[in-house]
């Protein structure tokens, strides 16, 4: 075993490269991996991590990298966050699993109490806990169908909701998520997303038209009375950090309410302080009927939830929802530690501050490099979209080149977007401002090297 420093916020908060990226130890591990790990499970940056905390990842070669990915928006409270570590350690020594459906425990109830308190809406709520985001989405659809007695589900262009069979059907993008994995679940209908940059006549037309286009498609092609649920990410994640114009989500929620359709906000990526509020829906005061959460909820342990109106959630018969591990006691302990951290450090305010630092710098970058067609996002969920200058033609090659240059310089950035032409930035919310600025310097150099 390698002797490595402990992770958590004590890990020195600086970038430090001692080998090329990836270094020899990581390359050797990658070789081992090739012989045993299925190649379908891909890798963004093949450095093997030995410790992490704050805004830093330490690799097997002793390199310290700056983290602008947070494990895809998961470790918002930082890796090995002290409140998470202490609660998890205590729980794991006490008991690790009983199955909540067999003999329950308090942690599960406590997480549901926190979800009732923190999610949008003042109404009476219930939650059910699961293991992954996809599983939460599957269950939200099951619940909405059961409650309404209807089958159709409306999802959006550029949506991402997971990789299980039902959620593949909800996810828009074929490669890599769906290619060769059909047949997909039925009764899923897709409507255009209010995507300001790519709306046919531009952002103003998007603001003016998107909602009525969606409503009209639902009316003519599905029929409101057949629709169990409309599901949307308040800010789309994998699809490209697409922020709909103000009014779109609210109008959609009102339309659902008018027609007895369950409005599901998939806050798996945007939730838990990421966008500068507990949930991105709250930006416009939108109150969903059901909210799906995962990722940031538990500081890195696998936990997910469906939370919503009691009458909808409780429509399902006893035994209709569950799973062996859903709401595992260790994951629940982690969630309670993560929520405690979000409150004690006011991580929503931190997310807003991160956005206030990043967005102006990215906008300045866009003035210098016309390959940047759009700068968007909210709080600590921000992105730039790259196109051939002066056009809307996606430029995934430049996107990959910039990401690669960042990686080689020790900055972990992720890409996304239906066309693979979006660089997204999702730092842990506890990242120090010096590291944040240094990461942006590296990004600037990466654009300069294009
Ligand atoms: N809904 C909005 O962002 C997961 C996917 C990574 P799971 N996003 C990261 C990948 O390539 O698999 C996500 C999401 C939204 C649902 C999910 C699914 O969450 O925990 O990955 O199942």
């Amino acid at each position: 075993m390698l002797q490595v420093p402990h992770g958590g916020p004590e890990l020195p908060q600086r970038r430090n490269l001692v080998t090329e990226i990836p270094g020899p130890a990581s390359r050797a591990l990658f070789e081992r991996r090739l012989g045993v790990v299925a190649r379908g499970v891909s890798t963004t940056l093949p450095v093997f991590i030995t410790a992490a905390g704050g805004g830093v990842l330490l690799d097997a070669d002793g390199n310290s990298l700056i983290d602008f990915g947070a494990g895809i928006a998961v470790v918002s409270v930082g890796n090995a966050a002290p409140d998470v570590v202490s609660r998890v350690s205590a729980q794991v020594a006490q008991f690790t699993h009983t199955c909540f459906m067999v003999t329950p425990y308090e942690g599960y109830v406590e997480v549901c109490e926190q979800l009732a308190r923190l999610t949008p809406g003042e109404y009476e709520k219930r939650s059910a806990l699961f293991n992954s985001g996809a599983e939460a989405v599957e269950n939200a659809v099951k619940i909405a169908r059961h409650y309404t007695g209807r089958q159709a589900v409306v999802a959006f262009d550029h949506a991402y909701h997971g990789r299980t069979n039902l959620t593949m059907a909800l996810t828009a993008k074929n490669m890599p998520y769906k290619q060769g994995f059909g047949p997909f679940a039925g009764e899923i209908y897709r409507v255009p997303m209010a995507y300001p940059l790519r709306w046919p006549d531009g952002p103003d037309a998007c603001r003016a038209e998107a909602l009525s286009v969606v409503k009209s498609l639902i009316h003519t092609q599905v029929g409101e009375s057949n629709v169990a649920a409309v599901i949307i990410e308040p800010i789309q994640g994998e699809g490209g950090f697409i922020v709909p114009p103000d009014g779109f989500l609210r109008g959609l929620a009102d339309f659902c309410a008018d027609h007895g359709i369950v409005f599901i906000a998939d806050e798996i990526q945007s939730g838990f302080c990421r966008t500068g509020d507990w949930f991105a829906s709250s930006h416009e005061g939108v109150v969903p009927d059901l909210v799906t959460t995962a990722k940031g909820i538990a500081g890195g342990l696998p936990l997910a939830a469906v939370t919503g109106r009691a009458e909808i959630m409780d429509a399902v018969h006893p035994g209709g929802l569950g799973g062996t591990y859903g709401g595992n006691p260790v994951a629940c302990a982690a969630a309670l530690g993560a929520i405690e951290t979000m409150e004690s450090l006011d991580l929503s305010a931190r997310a807003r501050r991160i956005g206030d630092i990043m967005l102006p710098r990215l906008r300045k970058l866009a003035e210098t490099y016309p390959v940047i067609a759009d700068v968007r996002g909210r709080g600590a969920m921000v992105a730039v979209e790259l196109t051939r200058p002066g056009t809307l033609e996606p430029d995934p090659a430049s996107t990959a080149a910039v990401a690669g240059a960042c990686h080689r310089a020790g900055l972990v950035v992720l890409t996304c977007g239906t066309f693979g032409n979006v660089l997204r930035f999702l730092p842990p919310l506890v990242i120090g401002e010096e590291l944040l600025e240094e990461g942006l310097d590296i990004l600037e150099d990466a654009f300069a090297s294009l």
Side-chain angles (χ1 to χ4, degrees):
M1 269 296 276
L2 274 165
Q3 279 299 313
V4 292
H6 288 296
E10 302 308 316
L11 196 65
Q13 294 297 299
R14 59 187 170 87
R15 179 178 65 116
N16 182 33
L17 300 190
V18 296
T19 69
E20 71 280 17
I21 300 291
S26 281
R27 290 202 303 271
L29 283 163
F30 199 80
E31 271 307 306
R32 258 173 74 193
R33 167 206 155 120
L34 288 177
V36 287
V37 179
R39 71 175 188 147
V41 183
S42 68
T43 305
T44 301
L45 173 54
V47 294
F48 281 70
I49 301 306
T50 53
V56 163
L57 298 163
L58 183 69
D59 79 7
D61 291 284
N63 298 299
S64 292
L65 296 93
I66 301 175
D67 183 11
F68 274 13
I72 323 188
V74 171
V75 283
S76 298
V77 295
N79 248 298
D83 292 332
V84 173
V85 171
S86 62
R87 286 190 183 246
V88 164
S89 307
Q91 179 58 49
V92 89
Q94 213 58 32
F95 66 96
T96 47
H97 175 83
T98 61
C99 185
F100 190 75
M101 302 185 305
V102 177
T103 49
Y105 39 87
E106 187 178 355
Y108 190 117
V109 179
E110 231 179 311
V111 170
C112 295
E113 285 167 351
Q114 296 292 0
L115 285 164
R117 181 172 70 86
L118 298 171
T119 52
E122 294 307 311
Y123 48 74
E124 176 95 5
K125 291 175 198 158
R126 304 282 185 269
S127 291
L129 304 184
F130 303 98
N131 304 292
S132 67
E135 203 188 346
V137 170
E138 291 252 354
N139 279 279
V141 170
K142 279 167 67 172
I143 293 162
R145 283 179 168 158
H146 197 104
Y147 171 72
T148 57
R150 307 172 181 176
Q151 294 185 353
V153 178
V154 174
F156 286 80
D157 207 356
H158 310 286
Y160 183 92
H161 297 292
R163 295 174 181 263
T164 56
N165 187 261
L166 174 60
T167 60
M168 271 194 296
L170 293 168
T171 291
K173 186 174 174 175
N174 179 51
M175 244 345 230
Y177 307 123
K178 302 166 79 164
Q179 175 65 30
F181 297 137
F184 304 109
E187 284 304 303
I188 308 292
Y189 299 87
R190 193 167 310 285
V191 292
M193 176 62 182
Y195 188 167
L197 181 73
R198 294 189 176 279
W199 194 261
D201 292 312
D204 289 337
C206 180
R207 183 181 301 273
E209 298 164 2
L211 183 64
S212 54
V213 168
V214 167
K215 291 203 269 194
S216 159
L217 280 171
I218 294 174
H219 178 71
T220 55
Q221 299 191 7
V222 198
E224 292 87 343
S225 64
N226 297 315
V227 180
V230 169
I231 180 164
I232 189 165
E233 301 151 83
I235 295 180
Q236 286 183 322
E238 305 304 308
F241 280 31
I242 300 161
V243 187
D246 278 353
F248 182 74
L249 292 173
R250 173 171 281 284
L252 201 59
D254 290 345
F255 170 78
C256 288
D258 289 346
H259 296 282
I261 297 168
V262 176
F263 181 71
I264 306 173
D266 180 347
E267 294 255 17
I268 287 166
Q269 190 151 168
S270 58
F272 283 104
C273 305
R274 178 54 52 188
T275 66
D277 211 326
W278 279 103
F279 295 93
S281 307
S282 306
H283 172 71
E284 275 190 66
V286 170
V287 177
D289 298 312
L290 300 181
V291 182
T292 55
T293 52
K295 290 190 184 278
I297 191 176
L301 273 82
L303 188 73
V306 183
T307 301
R309 291 183 190 278
E311 69 268 24
I312 300 177
M313 295 294 295
D314 280 344
V316 177
H317 49 276
L321 303 173
T324 306
Y325 293 113
N328 166 273
V330 183
C332 285
L336 296 171
I339 291 167
E340 189 180 331
T341 306
M342 290 179 227
E343 292 201 297
S344 64
L345 301 182
D346 193 358
L347 291 188
S348 286
R350 287 294 311 153
R352 292 194 293 275
R353 170 83 184 141
I354 288 170
D356 288 345
I357 292 172
M358 294 192 95
L359 285 164
R361 280 199 65 179
L362 295 172
R363 289 193 189 107
K364 251 192 102 208
L365 210 57
E367 284 168 19
T368 315
Y369 299 102
V371 70
I372 301 177
D374 199 17
V375 176
R376 58 183 180 244
R378 195 180 301 142
M381 184 172 183
V382 297
V384 292
E385 175 161 353
L386 277 63
T387 64
R388 295 198 166 262
T391 76
L392 286 178
E393 193 190 327
D395 190 348
S398 297
T399 309
V402 172
C406 290
H407 294 167
R408 285 189 296 278
L411 172 69
V412 179
V413 293
L414 308 174
T415 61
C416 65
T418 298
F419 314 106
N421 66 328
V422 179
L423 284 164
R424 59 170 152 172
F425 311 109
L426 292 159
L429 304 179
V430 294
I431 193 170
E433 290 187 10
E434 273 178 31
L435 271 188
L436 191 65
E437 299 278 7
E438 190 182 347
L440 289 164
D441 294 342
I442 293 170
L443 182 71
E444 256 175 54
D445 292 345
F447 271 99
S449 73
L450 257 189

